[in-house]
Amino acid sequence: MNTGDGPGLTRLKAAARRSAQACGSRRRPAAAMTRTGLHPCFLGPYGENDQLLESLVVEFLRDHVYWRRNLHPEDLPAIPTGANREPGYVAFEARLRRELHLLSAALKRSVPFHSPRYLGHMVSDLLIPGLAAQMLALPYNPNNVSAEAAPITIDLELKAGLQLAEMVGWPADPAREDCAFGHLTSGGTLANLQGLRLALALKAFPVALRAAGVPLPGLPGDDWEAFNTGPAAATALYAQWCAWRDALQPRERRAWQQRVEAQRIESLGLADFLDRHPQLSTPCVFAPATAHYSWSKGMKMLGLGRAQLALIPGQAMRLDVDALEEALEHCLRLRQPVLMAVGVLGSTEFGTIDPVDRLADLRERMQSRGLGMSLHLDAAWGGYLASLFRDADGRLRDRDAVAADFQAFPSPGVHAAFAAIPRMDSITIDPHKLGHLPYGAGAFLCRDQRAVGLLAEDADYVFDEAGDGGFFDRHRHLGRYIPEGSKPGANAAAVYVTHRVLPLDHEHFGRLPAQGILAAEKFMAEAQAFIERIAPLATATVPFAPDCNLVCLAMNPVGNRDVARMNRFMRGLHRSLRADPGQPLQRGEYFGSMTTLRPDAMGPADSARVLQALRLAPDALEGGDEDRIVVLRHTLMNPFLLDEGGAGGGYIRGYFDHLERLVAAALVPAALAAGA
Ligand SMILES: Cc1ncc(COP(=O)(O)O)c(C=O)c1O
C-alpha cells in the first residue's frame, strides 16, 4: 500500500516493523530493561504509590507545624484549644468540607493525564519528588521575586537553572564568569518572551553605548555595525562597560549610568530609539513554520509587531535552513536588521526537531558578513530529551551510545541537533511538560550570565549587593529580570528536588524520556499495522515522521475526495477521544488530541505528498471552505505506556484497536448503504 511517505518515514517504519517482529526474542533495549527503576517515581495509574506519597505529605506537613510551633513557643496559641467547638467554627468547617467535597467531586471530571490511556497533550503523571517538594514548600509560601521573600527557594531556582544548563552542555560552574544562568517562568510562553527581551537588549545596547559617548576602546564604528554586534560580543561589551563604570567614583558612576540608560531602547521605546538612529529599522525575527503561537504573542507584547515575525516554511516540518539563508541574504542586501532566529527542538504539533547545528553554522556565516542576530532554541517540549544525550559526568554521548537503547532514535540529524544546543544563546525548556512537574514551571536559560544584567528593571548600581558578590548574590533579586513579579517558590523547590533525585543524565532522568521514545517506536509499528487493517475503510498516513515521542495520524474515508467531509470524519473521531466533562470519565476508552496541517506550514512539496497519501486531489485545499487537514495528535510520554495494562496487547495496541472500532462505527454504515 502506498501511503505516500517520505524516505525518513519509510526508514522509521522499517525499523518499527523490525521492532514489532522481534517480539521479545531479540535483545531488549537497555532502556526497556530499566523500566522498573521508574516504579517509585510516580503516584502511578492506579495510585500504586499512595502510601509513599501520603507518608511524605503527612511527615512534612507535621514538620511544617513543628516549625511554626518552634518559632516562639513562649507565645500563647492565638486559636484557643476549644475553638473547634464554637458554633461559628463548626459551621465554617461544615461549609469548608462541603465546598471541598464539591470541588473534589467536580475534579473527578478532570482530564486523566496520569493514565497510559491518555495520549493527548504534553502532560502526563507527575513525578513524586516534584509533587512532594511542591506540597512541602507550599505552606511556607515563598515568593521567588526576591531573596527577602524567599531566602531558600530563590537559590533553589538559580540552582535548577544551573542543573538545566548542565544538561544542555553549557558551563554551569557558578565560579566561572561566563557561567550560564536560568530561571523559571510560568511556562514556555514567557520563557520565549524572555528570549526576545534579552535579544533586543543585547542588540540595542552597543548602539546606546555609542550614543552616550562612553569612552570605551573598540566600540563599533557606526549604528548599523553596533546593531549587528551579535550577542556574544555584545555581552562582552556590556561586561566591559560594567567594569569600566564600576571603577569610577560614585558620582561619576551614577552620571554615566544615567547617560547610558537614557540612550537605551528600553528607556526610549522603539519609536524614539529608531528616530535617533535613522540607519536602523525595526528588527525582524525568523522562526520555522512550526513555531508555537507564543512567538506571535511575544512580538506583540514587545511592541515589535506580529508583522516582524517571519515564518519560514519547513521541509517535513523542520526548519528549512536554505530558505532561512536566502531570507537572511535578502535582509543583508536591504540592511534589514534581524533580531533573532528561532530553532524548535520538538515542535508542538509534530515533535520534529530542527537542524540546530546547521542553524548555528548559518548564524556564524551571517555574523562574519556583518549581520548579527541571537539564536533562541524553543525546547519547551523536547528540552528534557537532552538528558538522554548526557553521561553522568556531563559529557555528550555519541550517537551509537544513545542509539543502543532504541530501534531508530536518534537519527544522525537529531544527534547533531542535540550536540549543537550549546551554540544557542538562549533556550526555553519546560519542566511542566517532559519534566513531569506541576504546571507553572517553564524555564528560560541564557548562555552567559553576564548578559542578564541588561534585563534588570533598576540600574545595576542602585542595587544593594550585600554578600560576596558571587553568582547567587548577583542573581538572587530575580524580580529584576523576570517578566512576572511575585511568583511561587514552591515550583522552584519541585524542579530542584526532582533534578537532585533524578539527575539529568541518561542513567537517571533520561530513563523517562527513553520510555517515550520506545513508546513512539512501538506506536509507529502499530500505526503501520493499523493503516493496513483499515485500508478497506479509510486511507491513513503518518504525515510526518516524528523525531521524538509525538506522532500525528491523518485519515480519509476510502473514495472521499472532499476535504470538508474528511475533516468532519476526523473531528468526529477526535470528539470520541476527548474527555467529556458531561459524561462519566470511564466512558472514554482512550484520550487524544488533534491539530491541523496547513499548506503554508507544510510547504508545496509536503502538501502535495500528504494530499496524495490521503488520495485527495492536488488542489483539494484550494478554493473550498476547508484550507487545512485535521489530524489526530498523540503525545507519548506516559511512563507506563508500554505496560501490558488491562488491555490485551498493551495500551498502544489497545488504542489502535479502539480507533479501528471508532473508524468502523463511523464508516461501515455508510459503506453498507453505498453497497446496498
Ligand atoms: C514548542 C513550544 N513552545 C512554547 C510553548 C508554550 O508553552 P506554555 O504553554 O507552557 O506557555 C509550547 C506549548 O505547547 C510549545 O510546544
Side-chain angles (χ1 to χ4, degrees):
M1 175 180 155
N2 175 18
T3 54
D5 306 326
L9 185 51
T10 310
R11 217 181 339 104
L12 232 140
K13 277 181 184 169
R17 232 177 275 124
R18 282 200 304 281
S19 133
Q21 282 158 4
C23 274
S25 59
R26 279 177 34 169
R27 176 183 68 88
R28 299 276 318 262
M33 291 191 284
T34 59
R35 210 180 313 151
T36 50
L38 298 176
H39 286 168
C41 298
F42 296 93
L43 180 54
Y46 202 67
E48 296 89 331
N49 281 322
D50 57 340
Q51 289 192 7
L52 173 61
L53 184 59
E54 192 178 309
S55 73
L56 293 172
V57 170
V58 170
E59 178 176 345
F60 290 104
L61 181 63
R62 284 186 184 148
D63 213 32
H64 173 81
V65 171
Y66 300 145
W67 176 72
R68 289 188 176 207
R69 286 184 185 169
N70 287 334
L71 181 64
H72 277 290
E74 71 275 20
D75 291 349
L76 290 179
I79 304 167
T81 18
N84 60 358
R85 290 190 297 275
E86 288 165 10
Y89 190 113
V90 174
F92 176 91
E93 186 180 335
R95 280 201 308 278
L96 171 64
R97 287 187 179 280
R98 181 184 142 80
E99 289 307 317
L100 290 180
H101 277 296
L102 288 173
L103 174 65
S104 178
L107 285 172
K108 301 287 185 313
R109 285 180 273 126
S110 296
V111 184
F113 295 144
H114 63 277
S115 168
R117 290 171 179 265
Y118 182 79
L119 314 171
H121 293 283
M122 298 166 156
V123 54
S124 179
D125 205 357
L126 297 172
L127 279 163
I128 284 185
L131 201 54
Q134 187 146 336
M135 290 201 268
L136 190 166
L138 263 181
Y140 296 84
N141 198 23
N143 176 358
N144 272 19
V145 71
S146 81
E148 260 184 50
I152 306 305
T153 50
I154 280 260
D155 280 13
L156 300 189
E157 179 158 347
L158 297 177
K159 286 179 184 171
L162 294 175
Q163 291 165 330
L164 289 169
E166 193 173 1
M167 174 179 73
V168 300
W170 274 344
D173 173 2
R176 277 178 68 156
E177 64 169 9
D178 66 345
C179 177
F181 165 81
H183 66 78
L184 302 183
T185 56
S186 63
T189 300
L190 280 204
N192 285 344
L193 175 70
Q194 275 296 70
L196 285 171
R197 279 182 76 207
L198 184 59
L200 188 61
L202 281 167
K203 191 158 190 72
F205 187 71
V207 180
L209 278 187
R210 272 178 44 81
V214 176
L216 281 181
L219 281 186
D222 63 17
D223 280 349
W224 173 257
E225 199 189 317
F227 216 36
N228 284 288
T229 302
T235 302
L237 204 54
Y238 174 58
Q240 200 186 335
W241 143 254
C242 290
W244 178 81
R245 176 203 60 195
D246 292 347
L248 298 173
Q249 292 305 314
R251 183 195 293 233
E252 233 189 328
R253 188 191 315 159
R254 212 168 290 127
W256 274 108
Q257 176 74 26
Q258 281 165 3
R259 240 165 111 164
V260 171
E261 282 298 316
Q263 295 296 333
R264 289 188 55 189
I265 198 166
E266 290 84 354
S267 305
L268 294 170
L270 185 62
D272 200 2
F273 179 84
L274 292 178
D275 262 0
R276 290 172 188 226
H277 303 286
Q279 263 191 315
L280 309 179
S281 55
T282 312
C284 63
V285 170
F286 288 101
T290 55
H292 186 262
Y293 66 94
S294 51
W295 288 102
S296 171
K297 281 190 191 173
M299 296 297 283
K300 292 176 189 167
M301 281 197 263
L302 225 59
L304 293 171
R306 168 66 183 80
Q308 263 53 251
L309 175 64
L311 297 180
I312 303 287
Q315 277 176 337
M317 291 298 174
R318 289 143 184 107
L319 174 69
D320 181 345
V321 179
D322 295 334
L324 176 62
E325 180 154 21
E326 230 173 83
L328 292 177
E329 288 287 354
H330 191 65
C331 290
L332 198 54
R333 276 196 301 279
L334 298 182
R335 285 170 82 88
Q336 161 62 52
V338 179
L339 177 63
M340 174 190 272
V342 179
V344 178
L345 196 91
S347 59
T348 314
E349 289 157 304
F350 308 102
T352 42
I353 288 172
D354 287 339
V356 178
D357 49 323
R358 293 188 56 219
L359 177 62
D361 292 345
L362 173 59
R363 189 264 291 270
E364 271 170 32
R365 285 199 299 282
M366 298 316 293
Q367 181 73 58
S368 70
R369 294 173 54 205
L371 190 70
M373 75 201 77
S374 289
L375 291 187
H376 182 90
L377 188 66
D378 186 350
W381 163 244
Y384 275 90
L385 290 170
S387 60
L388 283 170
F389 293 78
R390 287 284 150 202
D391 268 327
D393 63 6
R395 265 197 298 244
L396 181 76
R397 303 172 76 207
D398 64 31
R399 190 173 98 79
D400 287 347
V402 182
D405 286 348
F406 309 104
Q407 299 292 333
F409 178 88
S411 68
V414 165
H415 187 271
F418 278 88
I421 296 179
R423 296 169 71 191
M424 303 289 107
D425 301 303
S426 52
I427 307 180
T428 295
I429 298 181
D430 280 355
H432 68 200
K433 293 192 172 75
L434 264 185
H436 290 265
L437 289 170
Y439 277 118
F444 168 76
L445 308 181
C446 117
R447 174 163 57 169
D448 188 330
Q449 51 131 358
R450 289 172 300 177
V452 294
L454 279 170
L455 291 179
E457 179 50 33
D458 51 354
D460 270 355
Y461 73 98
V462 179
F463 233 86
D464 171 23
E465 284 185 353
D468 61 7
F471 182 90
F472 290 95
D473 276 333
R474 221 167 315 132
H475 299 306
R476 230 170 240 138
H477 302 284
L478 263 180
R480 303 159 79 199
Y481 310 127
I482 56 178
E484 304 96 333
S486 299
K487 73 199 217 19
N491 283 99
V495 179
Y496 171 78
V497 167
T498 300
H499 294 171
R500 291 284 296 174
V501 178
L502 287 171
L504 300 174
D505 58 64
H506 79 104
E507 288 173 33
H508 298 95
F509 193 96
R511 285 179 311 187
L512 255 177
Q515 287 306 308
I517 300 291
L518 290 169
E521 291 183 342
K522 165 110 170 129
F523 191 93
M524 287 298 288
E526 291 290 351
Q528 181 57 27
F530 167 81
I531 288 168
E532 284 161 19
R533 285 201 307 275
I534 60 149
L537 287 174
T539 306
T541 183
V542 173
F544 295 97
D547 285 324
C548 57
N549 45 340
L550 212 160
V551 189
C552 286
L553 191 65
M555 274 182 268
N556 185 24
V558 160
N560 175 52
R561 310 279 284 174
D562 176 11
V563 176
R565 181 179 165 224
M566 175 182 76
N567 285 351
R568 273 199 304 280
F569 161 68
M570 291 298 281
R571 286 198 180 95
L573 290 181
H574 173 240
R575 268 196 298 281
S576 308
L577 293 168
R578 253 192 337 214
D580 178 354
Q583 298 281 339
L585 202 55
Q586 291 76 2
R587 286 232 180 130
E589 288 280 328
Y590 284 87
F591 304 88
S593 64
M594 56 150 275
T595 186
T596 57
L597 298 173
R598 287 175 290 109
D600 56 333
M602 287 191 282
D606 283 320
S607 295
R609 177 180 59 75
V610 173
L611 287 170
Q612 194 192 11
L614 292 171
R615 312 236 170 96
L616 289 166
D619 61 355
L621 292 171
E622 291 160 22
D625 288 345
E626 295 272 356
D627 61 353
R628 56 197 67 190
I629 295 170
V630 174
V631 297
L632 296 179
R633 169 176 172 265
H634 311 92
T635 304
L636 305 163
M637 65 180 284
N638 188 285
F640 305 107
L641 202 46
L642 289 171
D643 275 30
E644 284 305 301
Y651 290 105
I652 294 177
R653 176 64 204 245
Y655 170 70
F656 280 108
D657 286 349
H658 178 61
L659 197 56
E660 194 176 340
R661 286 191 293 275
L662 292 178
V663 170
L667 298 179
V668 166
L672 287 177

